[in-house]
Amino acid sequence: MSVIIGEISYTNILPFFYYLDREKLKEQNCSFVPQVPAQLNQAMSAGEIDVGGISSFAYADNADRFTLMPNLSVTSYGPVGSIFLFSKKPLQQLGEANIALTSSSASSVHLLKIILEHFYSLKLSYTTMRPHLKTMLVEHDACLLIGDDAIVAKREVGGSYHCYDLGDLWFEHTGLPMTFAVFAVRNETLSEHTSLLGAVYRSFLESKRMSETNQYQLMIDDILKTHGGEKAFWVKYFHNLCNDFGEQEQKGLSYYFELLYQMGYLSNQVKTLNIWDPARVVK
């Protein structure tokens, strides 16, 4: 039985995967499945993927079934640079508006609802759509895009719309970091393949370490070939992201979950984060 690793198909997760020795992991009976967050969330919940980066909201929805890996996350302390609300009018004037939501991620969708409904007390309606800015804004006042879709849209539309960075808005109102993606493992897989998951975890950590040590330079050079844009943008983008998942990142995530529960977007309260202790794994 293999361990199936989910890989979010966005650039913000690349530091954890760029330097992985995939062939070695495949020899150890691991396989990789790249998908957008919403697909990975569903596959993890269905037991089709065992471990990998998933939306933070997906963990909250399965907190009794998943365990989090420490020291690994996609977090921002302020602007995240790839999760934007594009609006035809200022945010404060969006009362009674219809917002088009990307179908790609649950974490960012629910973060937007916290910001608009809780922080700004706006009453809104929502429509979930495929992520395409022009199509989304045909019949809607604003739209949410994430990941590479958001980066490209921001680059192409420039100042045509009011553009709000959700990481920036969250930090402005809470003073806490926002963790958009976590690394989680299904409890059954953790029980059955503890040693192998230890190897997978150490591989993620090593790739993260090498990415940071290299200042993301080699990775950015490859991104420029596949995604375009300016090198200065990508350098700033990755340096604005936090790859850790320590006490402060966990505090911000717990507050996000608390607000979601208060607002009725989570059916079960996440009282504690179930975080794995890899020190107990025999190498």
Side-chain angles (χ1 to χ4, degrees), residues 85 91 108-122 124 164-171 173 259 263:
L85 177 71
L91 187 150
S108 301
V109 163
H110 287 90
L111 176 60
L112 178 67
K113 291 179 179 180
I114 288 175
I115 290 169
L116 297 181
E117 297 171 18
H118 184 72
F119 296 153
Y120 288 93
S121 301
L122 299 174
L124 305 153
Y164 300 95
D165 186 305
L166 267 59
D168 199 20
L169 291 173
W170 168 263
F171 191 74
H173 285 87
L259 290 178
M263 296 172 68

Side-chain angles (χ1 to χ4, degrees), residues 119-257:
F119 296 153
Y120 288 93
S121 301
L122 299 174
K123 294 184 178 180
L124 305 153
S125 57
Y126 304 99
T127 303
T128 301
M129 303 177 63
R130 291 184 59 194
H132 185 273
L133 183 126
K134 291 183 179 179
T135 303
M136 296 170 91
L137 289 178
V138 170
E139 297 181 354
H140 300 85
D141 298 294
C143 72
L144 173 68
L145 289 175
I146 74 162
D148 298 339
D149 297 320
I151 291 172
V152 172
K154 181 71 161 57
R155 184 192 308 156
E156 292 180 348
V157 304
S160 301
Y161 301 98
H162 299 278
C163 184
Y164 300 95
D165 186 305
L166 267 59
D168 199 20
L169 291 173
W170 168 263
F171 191 74
E172 176 186 328
H173 285 87
T174 68
L176 293 168
M178 177 60 205
T179 294
F180 297 94
V182 291
F183 279 72
V185 55
R186 295 174 59 248
N187 293 340
E188 294 88 343
T189 308
L190 185 57
S191 176
E192 295 170 6
H193 301 283
T194 309
S195 181
L196 177 53
L197 284 168
V200 171
Y201 173 68
R202 292 191 295 274
S203 296
F204 285 143
L205 279 182
E206 179 62 11
S207 182
K208 166 188 161 180
R209 185 194 67 79
M210 292 180 68
S211 297
E212 293 173 345
T213 300
N214 180 254
Q215 298 286 297
Y216 309 103
Q217 291 301 315
L218 294 178
M219 186 179 73
I220 288 172
D221 289 343
D222 280 345
I223 290 173
L224 288 170
K225 298 172 186 176
T226 55
H227 291 76
E230 298 293 329
K231 185 170 185 176
F233 164 82
W234 291 109
V235 170
K236 181 180 179 181
Y237 176 64
F238 283 105
H239 281 275
N240 277 352
L241 291 177
C242 169
N243 301 320
D244 302 326
F245 191 52
E247 182 178 346
Q248 196 68 3
E249 292 80 31
Q250 293 167 27
K251 182 179 179 181
L253 186 59
S254 292
Y255 186 52
Y256 168 71
F257 291 158

Side-chain angles (χ1 to χ4, degrees), residues 1-6 44 47-52 184-186 189:
M1 179 179 174
S2 65
V3 168
I4 303 173
I5 301 170
M44 278 276 290
E48 297 166 359
I49 287 176
D50 298 301
V51 59
V185 55
R186 295 174 59 248
T189 308

Side-chain angles (χ1 to χ4, degrees), residues 262-280:
Q262 291 177 7
M263 296 172 68
Y265 289 121
L266 277 179
S267 55
N268 296 306
Q269 189 174 12
V270 182
K271 295 182 179 180
T272 58
L273 301 178
N274 184 21
I275 300 177
W276 185 37
D277 181 6
R280 297 181 180 179

Side-chain angles (χ1 to χ4, degrees), residues 21 52 70 80 83 90 158 234:
D21 189 338
V80 62
I83 302 176
W234 291 109

